[in-house]
Amino acid sequence: MSKRTDTIKSLFTAPQSSALSADNMPAALPRVSSGSVRSLKDSFSEVEKENEELRERIASGAVILEIDPSLVDPSPLADRFRDQDDSSFEALKQ
């Protein structure tokens, strides 16, 4: 074999030397939350979970809500058949 072939082969077969860099530093230990931070995190996790459950129930149509009719605001748009008499409406349906 030629010197060139040997050199190329040695590039790929030589053991890699461990270079010193920031990349091969040991991983830092995971941070542990303090009591108040952990408490807030747990609270928000519970709220987020409850919110997701409610969204799923609403999306599936599994929730039926009864509303007091007095809480419903009237429509700001006028009924387009308000001024019509019943006979003309019946004629329109025919």
Side-chain angles (χ1 to χ4, degrees), residues 4-6 9 15-16 33 43 50 59 62 68 72-73 75 84:
R4 180 174 181 237
T5 306
D6 291 336
K9 187 184 266 188
Q16 297 291 327
S33 302
S43 296
E50 182 181 354
D68 182 12
V72 178
D73 293 332
S75 174
Q84 302 290 331

Side-chain angles (χ1 to χ4, degrees), residues 11-94:
L11 290 174
F12 296 105
T13 58
Q16 297 291 327
S17 62
S18 59
L20 296 178
S21 70
D23 294 335
N24 56 2
M25 296 290 292
L29 295 174
R31 295 184 66 174
V32 178
S33 302
S34 68
S36 58
V37 173
R38 185 174 46 244
S39 175
L40 279 173
K41 179 182 167 191
D42 292 344
S43 296
F44 283 124
S45 296
E46 289 175 23
V47 168
E48 189 174 318
K49 186 174 113 180
E50 182 181 354
N51 188 15
E52 185 60 33
E53 288 174 3
L54 290 173
R55 285 179 190 264
E56 288 174 6
R57 289 174 60 190
I58 289 172
S60 69
V63 177
I64 298 173
L65 299 175
E66 292 190 25
I67 303 172
D68 182 12
S70 65
L71 298 175
V72 178
D73 293 332
S75 174
L77 305 174
D79 186 8
R80 61 188 181 138
F81 293 116
R82 185 179 66 197
D83 297 333
Q84 302 290 331
D85 61 335
D86 291 334
S87 61
S88 61
F89 181 64
E90 290 299 322
L92 176 63
K93 288 196 302 187
Q94 293 295 333

